Amino acid sequence: MPLPTPAPPAYSPEDCAICFESLHVAPRDEEGSSYMIDDVELYCNNGRPNNHHFHWSCITDYVKSGGDRAKCPLCRGHALDARGRMIVGVTNEGGVQGGVDLGDIIDEEIFEESQPESWRLEQAFLGLMAQCDYAEAEELLRDRGVDVNCTYPTGGQTALHMAAMNDDVEGVELLLRYGADKAQLDEAGWDALRAAREVAAKEVPRLLA
Ligand SMILES: [Zn+2]
Ligand SMILES: [Zn+2]
């Protein structure tokens, strides 16, 4: 006599509906001693309190690896809103947030992951410059060969445009040291000097003239 198929583990709304482990996850570092919540609530047509919940990485990996985002992985309930968007509620260390367009975030991540390594390094460099983290930004220029004239994803601005608009002398000097092109134009047709003047920057125009 064949053995009965084992019943799937019982789902509790405290658990992830993919890996069936607790949504309360251990803190990443030693400092925060209490457990954190990592919860994505999918509005899978069950209505509260019966919606299914997931770890952020479980549900995003599921969709990225080809899972049908229109359906809940557990109950197969319809998971998109009237406009076809995958809207979820998120609770994690950043707080509680409703109405998060997870499909949009996943699409952006898929795009980023499909880009070459050089593109990712450029975006990291631009992010560091925006945060005035010069030591790390310089490391990428010096050791990783990042193009100092690379541009942000929209608007065509370089790190030099950004530093110019922040009237950031240290940033501008660093970029010029690495050969930033003062004449490079953004999509509005502005060079860094024009961008600096537009925001009435006081210090950097002398470096850019
Ligand atoms: Zn999980
Ligand atoms: Zn469900």
Side-chain angles (χ1 to χ4, degrees):
M1 199 172 81
L3 290 168
T5 349
Y11 176 72
S12 134
E14 298 284 295
D15 296 339
C16 170
I18 287 179
C19 69
F20 290 94
E21 286 177 15
S22 174
L23 296 167
H24 295 260
V25 295
R28 257 170 296 204
D29 51 51
E30 297 297 309
E31 281 169 33
S33 55
S34 61
Y35 274 57
M36 303 182 308
I37 293 188
D38 170 16
D39 173 22
V40 175
E41 178 180 7
L42 195 64
Y43 305 127
C44 49
N45 253 355
N46 294 307
R48 287 203 161 125
N50 298 317
N51 284 331
H52 286 127
H53 296 253
F54 304 85
H55 294 121
W56 179 275
S57 64
C58 287
I59 188 69
T60 55
D61 286 351
Y62 170 80
V63 174
K64 283 185 197 172
S65 60
D68 181 2
R69 69 177 73 185
K71 291 187 179 127
C72 170
L74 184 63
C75 70
R76 313 305 292 165
H78 190 69
L80 304 184
D81 73 358
R83 290 165 56 190
R85 299 173 307 173
M86 186 187 191
I87 303 294
V88 300
V90 176
T91 306
N92 57 26
E93 66 217 276
V96 180
Q97 228 188 324
V100 175
D101 190 339
L102 186 63
D104 207 41
I105 293 170
I106 290 172
D107 288 339
E108 197 164 305
E109 287 182 3
I110 290 172
F111 169 78
E112 288 176 8
E113 285 161 17
S114 73
Q115 298 301 306
E117 170 78 0
S118 59
W119 185 90
R120 280 200 290 274
L121 286 174
E122 286 175 359
Q123 298 311 309
F125 161 71
L126 292 165
L128 290 166
M129 285 303 300
Q131 293 160 31
C132 304
D133 193 339
Y134 301 126
E136 296 225 13
E138 184 170 6
E139 215 171 281
L140 291 178
L141 291 171
R142 189 186 54 222
D143 302 336
R144 307 297 299 272
V146 167
D147 176 5
V148 71
N149 296 311
C150 63
T151 56
Y152 287 92
T154 54
Q157 292 185 328
T158 61
L160 191 62
H161 284 96
M162 192 60 77
M165 285 189 294
N166 291 331
D167 202 15
D168 173 7
V169 170
E170 191 182 350
V172 167
E173 284 178 342
L174 167 69
L175 295 163
L176 292 177
R177 216 163 47 241
Y178 279 86
D181 179 5
K182 289 192 254 190
Q184 185 162 321
L185 306 180
D186 66 10
E187 283 171 13
W190 294 3
D191 61 15
L193 180 58
R194 170 84 197 270
R197 289 197 167 133
E198 202 61 29
V199 297
K202 291 192 175 60
E203 302 295 329
V204 297
R206 67 185 161 83
L207 301 170
L208 296 168

